Amino acid sequence: IKVAQELQKEYADLGVLLCGSAVGMAMTANRFHGIYAAVAWNEESARVGRADDNSNVLVIPTDFVSDEEAIEILRAWLRTEFKDGRYAERLKMIEGIK
């Protein structure tokens, strides 16, 4: 909750959460307006979550990845840019869901 609140206050641009399965934290974070939390279990899922979905919160399932893998997942996510274009249009549609 604190990470999502800090992002909403614009004290930070990105957030990282560590959780056993990552599912509960992602579900909680995604309840906040403007938060796009993505669960990533490898570098590719981190890149896709950032490039296609503009995730601003990375949630790593620590029960399923090693410390070293978690660091590489984080690095991949941080290095990836949002593709924009049609992906931005999709995000606008998501924002319109009530």
Side-chain angles (χ1 to χ4, degrees):
I1 292 171
K2 183 74 170 168
V3 168
Q5 290 171 335
E6 295 295 307
L7 288 169
Q8 284 185 321
K9 292 176 190 173
E10 297 182 2
Y11 292 155
D13 296 322
L14 301 171
V16 177
L17 299 169
L18 304 174
C19 174
S21 72
V23 175
M25 281 198 177
M27 290 173 63
T28 301
N30 283 320
R31 304 287 278 166
F32 289 81
H33 178 75
I35 302 302
Y36 296 100
V39 175
W41 56 92
N42 60 27
E43 292 177 55
E44 183 62 20
S45 63
R47 281 190 288 272
V48 170
R50 188 90 172 105
D52 293 1
D53 302 311
N54 202 23
S55 59
N56 55 4
V57 175
L58 173 66
V59 192
I60 299 174
T62 57
D63 284 352
F64 301 97
V65 300
S66 68
D67 293 349
E68 294 79 17
E69 289 170 319
I71 291 167
E72 292 308 313
I73 290 166
L74 175 60
R75 285 183 177 147
W77 185 72
L78 289 171
R79 289 183 190 128
T80 304
E81 304 255 343
F82 179 50
K83 290 179 184 174
D84 213 355
R86 69 182 177 107
Y87 298 97
E89 292 300 317
R90 184 173 61 187
L91 290 177
K92 285 180 190 174
M93 289 184 343
I94 292 169
E95 282 292 326
I97 296 172
K98 299 290 177 189

